[in-house]
């Protein structure tokens, strides 16, 4: 997002056209669903419309692969645009309502509910380069691909009580 203030609009489009295919392919390789692009971000879900027993683990493995891919992409962008990029990821696990939502003239596949909201809030509090997991996700990861670090509970918009958070140290 900060790059939009220093790059020309066409450069931002070129950057996103390089970034989104890489991220999308990672989602699909881990059998996730690319729900939508949100400006310069993307939202992906696992378990909808097709569920697997290990959807949380698939999401976590995809997140690690995304961070590593962004590191490589960032190095290329540093040499071509003089700018680097970083992403922050939040993952939550739980029930959602999934399906086509909208109007008769514009439908969009979406997942809605508290699970989706908490994932978005975790993403919002994650620092550049971080992957944050809710406790619900952490409980589903039986063989984490990287070390897990418990963080102090955080308060997020829409939740009265603080939520437990774990950082996945993918860069260890």
């Amino acid at each position: 997002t900060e790059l939009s203030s220093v790059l020309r609009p066409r450069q931002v489009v070129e950057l996103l056209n390089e970034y989104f295919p890489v991220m999308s392919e990672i989602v699909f390789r881990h059998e996730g669903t690319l729900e939508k692009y949100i400006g310069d971000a993307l939202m992906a879900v696992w378990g909808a419309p097709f569920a697997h027993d290990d959807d949380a683990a698939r999401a976590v493995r995809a997140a690690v692969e995304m961070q590593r891919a962004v590191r490589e992409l960032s190095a290329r962008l540093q040499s071509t645009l003089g700018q680097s990029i970083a992403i922050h990821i939040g993952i939550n696990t739980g029930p959602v309502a999934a399906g086509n939502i909208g109007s008769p003239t514009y439908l969009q596949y979406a997942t809605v509910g508290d699970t989706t909201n908490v994932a978005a809030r975790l993403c919002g509090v994650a620092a550049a380069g971080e992957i944050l997991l809710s406790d619900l996700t952490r409980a589903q990861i039986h063989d984490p691909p990287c070390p897990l670090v418990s963080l102090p509970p955080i308060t997020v918009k829409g939740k009265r009580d603080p939520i437990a958070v774990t950082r996945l140290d993918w860069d260890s």
Side-chain angles (χ1 to χ4, degrees), residues 52-85:
H52 302 91
D53 290 339
D54 63 343
D55 281 317
R58 289 170 188 258
V60 166
R61 288 191 303 268
V64 171
E65 191 174 337
M66 286 175 170
Q67 288 290 11
R68 291 179 177 153
V70 165
R71 178 187 286 156
E72 292 175 19
L73 179 59
S74 184
R76 286 197 312 270
L77 293 172
Q78 184 66 41
S79 67
T80 59
L81 295 175
Q83 300 289 332
S84 61
I85 63 170

Side-chain angles (χ1 to χ4, degrees), residues 94-109:
V96 297
N100 291 320
I101 299 170
S103 70
T105 55
Y106 181 73
L107 285 176
Q108 182 176 14
Y109 183 80

Side-chain angles (χ1 to χ4, degrees), residues 131-150:
I131 301 170
L132 296 183
L133 313 177
S134 71
D135 250 14
L136 294 170
T137 300
R138 181 180 184 160
Q140 297 286 320
I141 308 303
H142 304 296
D143 187 20
C146 308
L148 299 172
V149 178
S150 293

Side-chain angles (χ1 to χ4, degrees), residues 37-62:
Y37 296 124
I38 309 166
D40 61 358
L42 61 87
M43 181 171 169
V45 298
W46 278 259
F50 306 108
H52 302 91
D53 290 339
D54 63 343
D55 281 317
R58 289 170 188 258
V60 166
R61 288 191 303 268

